[in-house]
Amino acid sequence: MNKTAIVTGGCGFIGSHLVDLLIEKKFRVIVIDNLISGKLKNIKNNKNITFINKNINEIKLSNLPNDINNCYLFHFAGLGDVVPSINFPKQYMETNVFGTINLLEIARKLEVKKFIYAASSSCYGITNKRNSEKAKINITHPYALSKYMGESVIKYWSTFFKIPYISIRIFNAYGRRSRTTGAYGAVLGVFLKQKIENKPLTIVGSGLQKRDFVHVKDVANAFYLAANSKLKNRIYNLGSDKPISINKLAKKISNKSVSLAWRPGEPRLTHANINKIRKELKWKPKISFDMGIEEILENIDEWSDAPLWNKKNITKVTKEWFEFLS
């Protein structure tokens, strides 16, 4: 492999784990991150990277070192979480769609070896089945739309401008360094802060809904294998293929809980069919859910600065969710 990589969002949750892996593999790494949610300290060997503090919408070719032609570009940067996308849809489009287009133009000028994109399984929408990459696209909120549009423009740029790509639709990534500040979002971070404060866990509906949790280190390895592979212009699902109920997750964290109203537009099941990525990239998850949760609980203080969510403030912040998705 060529040993140079650009990683957008490289100080964030998944991006920082990939940067660690790339440095371990002796890559030269250029990280682009505006540090709004990412942290430079997330990268173990941050002295061994070139760091550029820029938004992806603003990054220019002139901001990059002039000797990185023929490199890999891993794109993780963007806005996440469903709830704020309902409140700020234009911002999500500007960042997740037009920011991606800006990076594609840079990739085209650099003649990158491959553009590897962190897509989202949210494109499958509300489903009660195991989804393959051929499953019907069902966009239910602005976040899902912005991520799927990002994938769509990548496919178009690949066809027209001959940029090799791989798009990886991540299901429910979890692990250390997940974001601890900002909007109401991923269930695990919400639960961990509630446990730290000895508050009841807020379980939506019956808690029987299942999520396909995949450990962040397994995610990072999948992106590395995608770059290392000779394959191009592919879309892959990335999950464990073993969905876990929210009740099971909650019991591993605390025996105190409170129920919230079921939210319209929330899937009863996320379940990745990972046959394609297993076969083509020879990837499989290595870290079990039990091992991953044990590691997190051993380091639970990392979530001490996370926002504390309770029944009252969750109801307030998800008001628009109920209004638009009912």
Side-chain angles (χ1 to χ4, degrees), residues 43-49:
I43 302 171
K44 294 178 182 177
N45 299 297
N46 57 49
K47 293 181 180 179
N48 295 328
I49 67 169

Side-chain angles (χ1 to χ4, degrees), residues 286-311:
K286 296 179 180 178
I287 300 173
S288 71
F289 184 69
D290 288 345
M291 289 172 57
I293 294 299
E294 182 178 348
E295 176 192 42
I296 285 172
L297 291 176
E298 288 173 354
N299 297 277
I300 194 170
D301 288 346
E302 294 177 5
W303 281 264
S304 60
D305 64 343
L308 177 63
W309 295 98
N310 56 41
K311 193 169 186 176

Side-chain angles (χ1 to χ4, degrees), residues 14 76 118-122 168-173 214 219 223 238:
I14 301 174
F76 294 96
S120 171
S121 66
S122 62
I168 299 179
R169 294 173 178 170
I170 304 169
F171 278 65
N172 301 87
V214 57
V219 174
F223 276 78
L238 185 63

